[in-house]
């Protein structure tokens, strides 16, 4: 049994070494700082672990009962207890400042961030609004993960919100997560230092498809970033679809519309039929001048799922408009063409 | 005289099975209620354990094989809920019920009928929560922490979850009041507070936590029900409420709850290590002081569960969390110092107690990472937390519970559990436990979030998940060995002596099992080890008489 215990200890020591190796490096300056903190705590915890487990094993081997003589009945002294209280106190006194130092760096906000992104989380998708570029990126739940593209070596500021329940923005490679809370927006910065594509996903349980609420962080060079912004903007302007009768059909499923483009004839009343297939989730249908929602032409009451509702809409002048489910925002939006 | 003392079995007929059943259902004897606690808790343990195996089977490989996403979300919610509220807490209360009156030399608990009520609420609570599986939309599926607003969206299973927990909460509050009064008022002559057996101290500290913290969650559950069904908006930000209020209410109870789940296990281990080392507990005063410090400090650390919300005062809760590791560290030193220069015997209770010390240490140390907020940002809500909670509640509490089972089984049943099967049980549980939960640290570091029903094959998590699943089935085998051990032992005749281990405390001064009135006569209590004193006095008298 003693040999087995030694083997177990050896296994633990190996595991401790592996644990150090398995901690991934951060791909941002903040993440790298957190990685360094991980190693510092490991350096403090490993001697405690080895010391206690080794002493335990030593007692097991050394003090196994071999005869019937009674053990010395030592109830312990106040002085020893003083030492017992002092040892962990000293360790904590060393540990705490390390943690605070890293924390102040991770919490630091850049006054002039290179990119500002509003991140909206909802069941079960992400929307990334590039505030200065006027660009909205989103995914399609269970079909395509949203991509958050950012330039390397520039501070990215994230303004994080939730539209429904609690979610959590988590990119393992950044060694960072932060809750998206309804009613409490959160702000944080990160500065990516490594080019590449890094998976991210919701880390706060948010209902049925929580495990599929993924996204991708893509870190590119500044020229690639500029080119990507241009092409995304052009693509948004080039959306087009043929005009049909003054009655459109829309289907909402898995918090996505079945189309990103609607077209109706000008200057006549038209109708919109909304089929909501999301059980337990409400959607709305709203028509605005643009994604900034400066002018509201129509907004339906919430359509509970699963039901079908038809709305009559006022005539519109020829032009390009923006439609959206105001509950789920830009990820459930598209272009309305009147021509 | 001799004639009147002759037993005449014909005059007292064997009670019929129906009479015996009624006697069990209506009992107010603390020992019988304790046994009912054990049966009920281990039944829940089996159900929640099967749920764990279902989850591990599903997660062994990417893709959906066994449980639909909907079923997985219900199963992980009920696994946590049942294990925490209806296995660990009640089984510890069962030990308290059976042994606190015996340890303090009392006839029964202070309020025997209230005691029966607190037990009978528990099976009703468990069945209410489990009946969610029959409800439209299935059982509760918001995690054992039941965060809003997701819990407001759920179907009727969620209402059953709330009702079940309200019942369990009332049961634990009634039980805690009973323990406090029993320990403060019913101690035998000579049993001063600083001679109180350490397990009874742990039960007292636990009861203080329950009385102070459980009413808070009870209020929270009522508020949640009102939000769901009566149109209030405590937690609805769109109408002036706040989602974080639930988390504050939940964790103000929830962190003391962690100590409610471990203090009694510390108490058991602090009884067992001294007995099997042949020495008094090193630093009894230090252990009592640590228990009380932890009880007090546990009310100041709740928001460390909320670091990642970005909405709490990080340095304050970081400092209090790290401070609580000081009295916890002292416990380790005391256990080790008790063993030093002892005469160690490795019967199954001691094996599990040593396993407890070795494993709970890991659960304490991996918590240090999370106590540092910046580090917590990297590992909170990942499998690191799942590893941590299981190293504390399984590596800690369940090893402690098993140590207590092997230690006290002869007292409860009058029969010794098999030593050989006990050793098999220990090693299978020890290996299976580490195989299951150690890889979860690495999964957490590699970014696997908790509570996900599925993961993509390209994330590099598959091997470690498969390993954890193998470990979970090894734990399952360990539990089968334990079950076989109990069944085989219960079929043997009652032969256990009153004091099979050379115990120290008063429960070993009476027969195994004890008579209905607990003691034929109590030894004098002049230290925290009255039975040890009695034994050494008898030995000294025998040696004195020899020459």
């Amino acid at each position: 049994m003693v040999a087995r215990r030694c083997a177990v200890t050896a296994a633990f020591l190996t595991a401790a070494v592996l644990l150090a190796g398995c901690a991934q490096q951060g791909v941002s300056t903040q993440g790298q700082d957190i990685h360094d903190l991980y190693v510092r705590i490991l350096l403090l915890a490993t001697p405690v672990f080895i010391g206690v487990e080794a002493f335990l094993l030593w007692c097991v081997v050394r003090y196994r009962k071999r005869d019937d003589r009674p053990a010395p009945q030592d109830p312990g002294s106040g002085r020893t207890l003083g030492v017992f209280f002092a040892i962990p106190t000293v360790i904590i006194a060393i540990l705490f400042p390390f943690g605070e130092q890293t924390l102040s760096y991770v919490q630091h906000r850049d006054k002039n961030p290179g990119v500002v992104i509003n991140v909206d989380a909802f069941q079960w998708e992400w929307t990334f609004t590039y505030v200065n570029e006027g660009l909205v990126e989103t995914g399609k739940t269970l079909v395509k993960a949203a991509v958050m593209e950012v330039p390397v070596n520039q501070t990215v500021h994230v303004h994080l919100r939730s539209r429904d329940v609690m979610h959590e923005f988590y990119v393992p490679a950044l060694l960072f997560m932060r809750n998206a809370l309804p009613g409490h927006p959160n702000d944080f910065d990160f500065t990516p230092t490594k080019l590449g594509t890094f998976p991210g996903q919701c880390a706060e349980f948010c209902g049925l498809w929580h495990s599929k609420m993924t996204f991708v962080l893509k870190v590119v060079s500044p020229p690639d970033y500029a080119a990507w912004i241009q092409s995304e903007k052009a693509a948004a302007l080039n959306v087009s679809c043929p005009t049909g009768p003054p009655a459109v059909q829309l289907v909402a499923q898995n918090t996505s519309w079945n189309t990103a483009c609607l077209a109706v004839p000008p200057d006549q009343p038209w109708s919109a039929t909304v089929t909501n297939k999301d059980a337990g989730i409400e959607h709305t249908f709203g028509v605005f001048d643009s994604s900034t929602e400066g002018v509201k032409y129509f907004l339906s009451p919430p359509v509970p799922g699963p039901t079908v509702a038809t709305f009559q809409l006022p005539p519109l002048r020829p032009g390009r408009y923006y439609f959206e489910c105001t509950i789920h925002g830009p990820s459930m939006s598209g272009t309305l063409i009147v021509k | 005289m001799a004639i009147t003392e002759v037993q005449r079995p014909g005059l007292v007929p064997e009670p019929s099975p129906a009479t015996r059943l009624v006697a069990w259902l209506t009992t107010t004897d603390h020992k019988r209620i304790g046994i009912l606690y054990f049966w009920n808790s281990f039944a829940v343990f089996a159900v929640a354990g099967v749920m764990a195996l279902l989850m591990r089977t599903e997660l062994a490989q990417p893709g959906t094989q066994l449980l639909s996403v909907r079923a997985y979300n219900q199963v992980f919610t009920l696994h946590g809920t049942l294990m925490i509220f209806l296995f660990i807490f009640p089984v510890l209360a069962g030990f308290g019920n059976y042994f606190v009156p015996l340890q303090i030399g009392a006839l029964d608990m202070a309020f025997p009928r209230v005691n029966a009520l607190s037990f009978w609420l528990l099976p009703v609570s468990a069945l209410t929560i489990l009946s969610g599986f029959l409800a439209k939309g299935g059982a509760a599926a918001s995690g054992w922490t039941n965060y809003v607003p997701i819990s407001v969206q759920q179907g009727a299973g969620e209402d059953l979850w709330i009702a079940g927990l309200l019942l369990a909460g009332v049961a634990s509050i009634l039980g805690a009041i009973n323990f406090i009064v029993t320990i403060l008022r019913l101690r035998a002559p000579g049993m001063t507070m600083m001679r109180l057996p350490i397990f009874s101290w742990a039960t007292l500290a636990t009861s203080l936590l329950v009385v102070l913290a459980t009413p808070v969650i009870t209020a929270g559950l009522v508020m949640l029900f009102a939000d769901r069904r009566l149109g209030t908006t405590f937690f609805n930000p769109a109408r002036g409420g706040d989602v974080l209020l639930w988390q504050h209410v939940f964790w103000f109870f929830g962190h003391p709850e962690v100590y409610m789940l471990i203090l009694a296990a510390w108490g058991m281990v602090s009884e067992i290590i001294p007995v099997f080392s042949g020495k008094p507990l090193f630093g009894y005063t230090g252990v009592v002081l640590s228990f009380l410090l932890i009880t007090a400090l546990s009310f100041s650390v709740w928001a460390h569960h909320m670091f990642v919300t970005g909405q709490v005062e990080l340095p304050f809760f970081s400092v209090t969390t790290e401070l609580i590791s000081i009295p916890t560290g002292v416990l380790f030193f005391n256990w080790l110092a008790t063993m030093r220069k002892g005469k160690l015997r490795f019967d199954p209770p001691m094996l599990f107690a040593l396993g407890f010390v070795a494993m709970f240490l890991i659960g304490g140390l991996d918590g240090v990472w999370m106590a540092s907020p910046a580090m917590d940002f990297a590992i909170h809500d990942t499998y690191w937390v799942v590893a941590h909670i299981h190293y504390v509640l399984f590596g800690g509490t369940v090893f402690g519970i098993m140590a207590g089972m092997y230690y006290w089984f002869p007292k409860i049943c009058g029969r010794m559990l098999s030593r050989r099967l006990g050793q098999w049980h220990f090693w299978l549980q020890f290996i299976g436990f580490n195989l299951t939960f150690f890889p979860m640290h690495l999964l957490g570091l590699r970014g696997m979030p908790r509570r996900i029903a599925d993961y993509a094959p390209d994330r590099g998590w598959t091997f470690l998940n498969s390993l954890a699943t193998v470990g979970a089935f090894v734990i399952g085998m360990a539990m089968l060995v334990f079950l076989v051990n109990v069944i085989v032992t219960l079929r043997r005749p009652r032969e256990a002596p009153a004091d099979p281990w050379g115990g120290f405390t008063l429960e070993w001064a009476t027969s195994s099992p004890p008579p209905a009135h607990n003691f034929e006569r109590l030894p004098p209590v002049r230290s925290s080890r009255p039975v040890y004193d009695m034994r050494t006095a008898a030995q000294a008298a025998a040696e004195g008489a020899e020459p």
Side-chain angles (χ1 to χ4, degrees):
Chain A
M1 191 163 66
V2 171
R4 267 150 114 184
R5 279 193 166 267
C6 289
V8 169
T9 318
F12 275 132
L13 293 183
T14 322
V17 175
L18 281 176
L19 208 57
C22 282
Q24 55 185 336
Q25 308 278 326
V27 299
S28 63
T29 51
Q30 293 85 350
Q32 195 51 37
D33 240 45
I34 292 176
H35 171 83
D36 295 345
L37 177 62
Y38 171 85
V39 174
R40 285 192 187 116
I41 300 176
L42 188 72
L43 291 176
L44 278 169
T46 308
V48 176
F49 173 76
I50 294 176
V52 172
E53 301 286 8
F55 192 89
L56 181 75
L57 283 173
W58 181 72
C59 286
V60 165
V61 176
R62 171 74 182 75
Y63 297 115
R64 166 181 284 273
K65 184 175 179 178
R66 293 184 178 85
D67 54 50
D68 282 337
R69 275 177 299 164
Q73 301 296 306
D74 175 14
S77 66
R79 215 166 111 190
T80 326
L81 277 179
V83 176
F84 287 178
F85 273 94
I87 295 172
T89 311
V90 170
I91 296 175
I92 296 305
I94 299 170
L95 173 69
F96 184 70
F98 280 136
E100 286 309 295
Q101 193 188 0
T102 309
L103 183 63
S104 71
Y105 182 69
V106 173
Q107 301 275 79
H108 176 76
R109 301 262 175 76
D110 196 332
K111 283 200 183 94
N112 296 302
V115 183
V116 179
I117 304 176
N118 288 346
V119 176
D120 284 272
F122 55 91
Q123 287 169 317
W124 293 272
E125 196 47 78
W126 301 91
T127 299
F128 306 120
T129 306
Y130 289 72
V131 175
N132 297 330
E133 293 79 2
L135 191 68
V136 177
E137 286 295 314
T138 189
K140 208 166 161 79
T141 306
L142 299 176
V143 179
K144 181 176 128 333
V147 178
M148 181 184 195
E149 192 155 328
V150 293
V152 73
N153 293 331
Q154 288 189 29
T155 308
V156 179
H157 177 80
V158 170
H159 181 66
L160 180 61
R161 303 175 297 200
S162 165
R163 287 178 173 268
D164 42 37
V165 301
M166 282 183 64
H167 299 278
E168 193 156 32
F169 178 93
Y170 175 41
V171 179
L174 294 177
L175 279 85
F176 187 81
M177 64 180 72
R178 183 55 54 93
N179 275 136
L181 299 159
H184 291 280
N186 268 318
D187 290 272
F188 62 89
D189 285 358
F190 68 93
T191 315
T193 52
K194 201 177 154 200
L195 297 175
T197 305
F198 308 103
Q201 75 187 94
C202 178
E204 185 76 62
F205 181 71
C206 61
L208 187 60
W209 292 114
H210 165 61
S211 57
K212 303 290 182 192
M213 194 172 154
T214 57
F215 64 97
V216 172
L217 173 70
K218 194 172 172 189
V219 182
V220 297
S221 66
D224 285 352
Y225 176 71
W228 175 75
I229 291 286
Q230 288 308 320
S231 73
E232 289 294 296
K233 276 185 173 173
L237 287 175
N238 287 336
V239 172
S240 152
C241 48
T243 311
V248 295
Q249 311 283 334
L250 272 160
V251 181
Q253 189 169 18
N254 294 329
T255 53
S256 294
W257 294 121
N258 61 329
T259 176
C261 181
L262 299 170
V264 291
D267 303 322
Q268 55 175 292
W270 56 289
S271 72
T273 302
V274 176
T275 306
N276 180 358
K277 291 189 173 177
D278 288 337
I281 294 175
E282 294 182 332
H283 295 298
T284 61
F285 177 69
V287 176
F288 305 91
D289 58 330
S290 70
S291 62
T292 57
E293 300 182 6
V295 182
K296 180 174 83 181
Y297 294 99
F298 176 78
L299 179 60
S300 78
V303 180
T307 52
V308 182
T310 302
F311 304 106
Q312 299 301 323
L313 285 91
L316 292 171
R317 303 288 305 149
R320 291 175 81 87
Y321 298 81
Y322 172 80
F323 73 88
E324 184 188 90
C325 159
T326 51
I327 295 171
H328 295 99
S331 124
M332 280 186 81
S333 71
T335 307
L336 171 67
I337 300 167
V338 181
K339 66 180 180 195
Chain B
M1 282 295 283
I3 293 166
T4 54
E5 281 178 0
V6 168
Q7 291 285 323
R8 294 168 72 178
L11 287 182
V12 187
E14 267 293 289
S16 69
T19 320
R20 288 211 318 238
L21 181 69
V22 170
W24 275 99
L25 294 180
T26 58
T27 184
T28 55
D29 176 359
H30 72 98
K31 298 183 290 298
R32 287 195 155 195
I33 292 173
I35 292 170
L36 290 172
Y37 266 100
F38 290 130
W39 281 114
N40 185 59
S41 308
F42 277 101
V44 171
F45 184 52
V47 171
V50 168
M51 289 180 181
L53 291 180
L54 290 175
M55 282 191 283
R56 281 312 329 158
T57 308
E58 176 55 49
L59 289 175
Q61 296 290 318
T64 300
Q65 294 92 11
L66 181 66
L67 295 174
S68 69
V69 172
R70 203 176 286 278
Y72 183 91
N73 293 344
Q74 294 170 27
V75 166
F76 86 71
T77 299
L78 261 61
H79 165 77
T81 305
L82 293 176
M83 283 293 192
I84 287 174
F85 297 107
L86 289 155
F87 166 59
I88 294 184
F89 188 81
V91 81
L92 295 173
F95 281 111
N97 252 285
Y98 202 106
F99 291 104
V100 165
L102 288 174
Q103 287 199 323
I104 65 173
L107 283 174
D108 203 320
M109 296 282 281
F111 310 113
R113 285 174 182 227
V114 173
N115 200 22
L117 175 63
S118 9
F119 167 73
W120 285 107
L121 288 174
L122 290 173
V124 181
S125 159
L127 290 174
T128 307
I129 292 172
L130 279 167
S131 67
F133 281 119
L134 305 174
K136 193 175 172 229
S142 325
W144 79 276
T145 50
N146 203 50
Y147 279 2
V148 293
I150 187 82
S151 51
V152 179
Q153 287 183 344
Q154 303 283 323
E158 173 72 26
D159 296 316
L160 293 165
W161 187 93
I162 294 173
L165 280 203
L166 280 170
L167 289 173
V170 171
S172 63
I173 294 169
L174 292 175
I177 293 169
N178 216 342
F179 280 127
I180 293 172
V181 178
T182 305
I183 293 170
L184 293 184
R185 302 300 303 163
L186 299 187
R187 299 192 310 280
M191 179 68 76
T192 61
M193 284 310 278
M194 291 317 277
R195 290 176 187 167
L196 193 65
I198 208 74
F199 172 71
S200 293
W201 258 117
T203 304
L204 179 62
T206 306
S207 303
L208 290 172
L209 287 174
V210 172
V211 167
L212 293 170
T214 310
V216 178
I217 188 71
T218 308
L221 289 168
V222 172
M223 287 155 79
L224 181 60
F225 184 82
D227 263 22
R228 285 172 54 79
R229 297 293 174 195
L230 307 175
T232 58
T233 58
F234 293 111
F235 306 122
N236 182 353
R239 293 172 62 192
D242 195 325
V243 292
L244 287 175
L245 177 61
W246 169 261
Q247 293 190 33
H248 283 295
V249 169
F250 183 86
W251 289 117
F252 188 80
F253 152 80
H255 203 82
E257 160 83 3
V258 174
Y259 292 96
M260 293 174 206
L261 300 175
I262 190 95
L263 265 161
W266 289 343
M268 290 193 241
V269 168
S270 305
E271 298 270 356
I272 291 166
I273 290 178
V275 167
F276 289 87
S277 304
K279 283 180 64 190
L281 176 63
F282 189 96
Y284 172 96
T285 322
V287 173
V288 171
L289 185 64
S290 295
F291 282 0
L292 295 177
L293 277 174
I294 288 166
T295 301
L297 275 172
S298 71
F299 284 98
S300 65
V301 299
W302 79 92
H304 70 216
H305 297 273
M306 300 166 63
F307 284 160
V308 292
T309 62
Q311 306 286 332
V312 293
E313 182 58 36
L314 299 172
F316 173 80
F317 287 103
S318 175
V319 132
T320 53
T321 303
E322 288 174 9
L323 282 179
I324 212 166
S325 66
I326 296 172
T328 315
V330 170
L331 294 177
F332 279 99
F333 290 133
N334 281 313
W335 294 326
L336 294 177
T338 303
M339 289 164 62
R340 188 170 164 267
K341 296 193 175 171
K343 297 274 183 182
L344 273 55
R345 292 174 290 152
F346 300 107
D347 295 292
M350 184 65 161
L351 285 183
F352 280 100
L354 294 176
F356 171 100
V357 176
M359 295 300 98
F360 178 62
L361 175 71
I362 299 177
L365 287 176
D366 61 17
V368 172
W369 271 271
M370 287 183 289
S372 203
M375 189 62 224
D376 187 60
F377 296 161
I379 53 180
H380 197 95
D381 289 321
T382 70
Y383 261 79
W384 182 284
V385 170
V386 183
H388 168 69
I389 194 174
H390 285 95
Y391 267 89
V392 173
L393 292 184
F394 197 125
T397 307
V398 175
F399 274 80
I401 288 168
M402 289 305 175
M405 284 312 295
Y406 280 91
Y407 182 56
W408 278 318
F409 195 90
K411 181 56 60 185
I412 299 170
C413 298
R415 305 165 175 99
M416 304 287 286
L417 283 168
S418 153
R419 185 187 156 96
R420 177 159 291 273
L421 285 176
Q423 288 166 341
W424 273 99
H425 172 191
F426 171 75
W427 286 108
L428 281 173
Q429 182 175 318
F430 187 82
I431 293 164
F433 167 75
N434 282 295
L435 207 55
T436 310
F437 296 107
F438 201 82
M440 292 188 184
H441 289 111
L442 307 180
L443 282 171
L445 290 176
R446 292 186 184 182
M448 180 167 169
R450 63 195 293 213
R451 295 177 171 178
I452 55 171
D454 190 16
Y455 51 92
D458 61 356
R459 299 300 300 270
W461 302 334
T462 310
F463 173 71
L464 291 168
N465 269 301
S466 306
L467 204 60
T469 302
V470 171
F473 279 91
V474 177
I475 297 177
M477 278 160 58
M479 295 307 158
L480 284 180
V481 172
F482 176 57
L483 184 67
V484 168
N485 201 351
V486 170
I487 291 171
V488 167
T489 306
L490 285 179
R491 296 168 71 96
R492 286 210 296 259
R494 292 189 176 179
E495 293 171 342
D499 180 13
W501 310 118
F504 295 162
T505 39
L506 285 181
E507 74 269 30
W508 305 110
T510 184
S511 59
S512 302
H517 47 283
N518 286 354
F519 296 96
E520 297 297 343
R521 58 182 281 275
L522 269 176
V525 183
R526 302 214 172 84
S527 77
S528 61
R529 297 193 294 163
V531 172
Y532 173 86
D533 296 342
M534 187 175 71
R535 196 165 49 235
T536 44
Q539 276 166 6
E543 280 164 22
E546 262 174 35

